Amino acid sequence: MGAIGGIALKMIAARNKGATIFLAPKDNCSDVRGNIPSGLRVISVSSLHQAITDLEGIQAGTVSPPGC
């Protein structure tokens, strides 16, 4: 999974729409740091499988995945 463009604006838009969790490719972590909107938790992911597993773990309260 590679970096995505305009991630800072995408995080703001997601938060404005009510998101509390945002999945970011590991390659974007340098762009994410210092730009995370208040109330948004950013989780670093490297694959779709990992993203799904992390979200299921958060929902179950069994996982606290790494952020950026």
Side-chain angles (χ1 to χ4, degrees), residues 19-55:
T20 57
I21 295 176
F22 187 92
L23 304 174
K26 285 185 180 184
D27 291 345
N28 277 112
C29 281
S30 62
D31 300 320
V32 167
R33 289 186 194 101
N35 292 310
I36 301 172
S38 178
L40 190 67
R41 179 178 176 192
V42 178
I43 297 171
S44 172
V45 296
S46 59
S47 69
L48 180 58
H49 176 73
Q50 179 195 359
I52 292 167
T53 301
D54 287 349
L55 288 173

Side-chain angles (χ1 to χ4, degrees), residues 52-68:
I52 292 167
T53 301
D54 287 349
L55 288 173
E56 289 173 340
I58 290 169
Q59 185 176 24
T62 59
V63 169
S64 182
C68 281

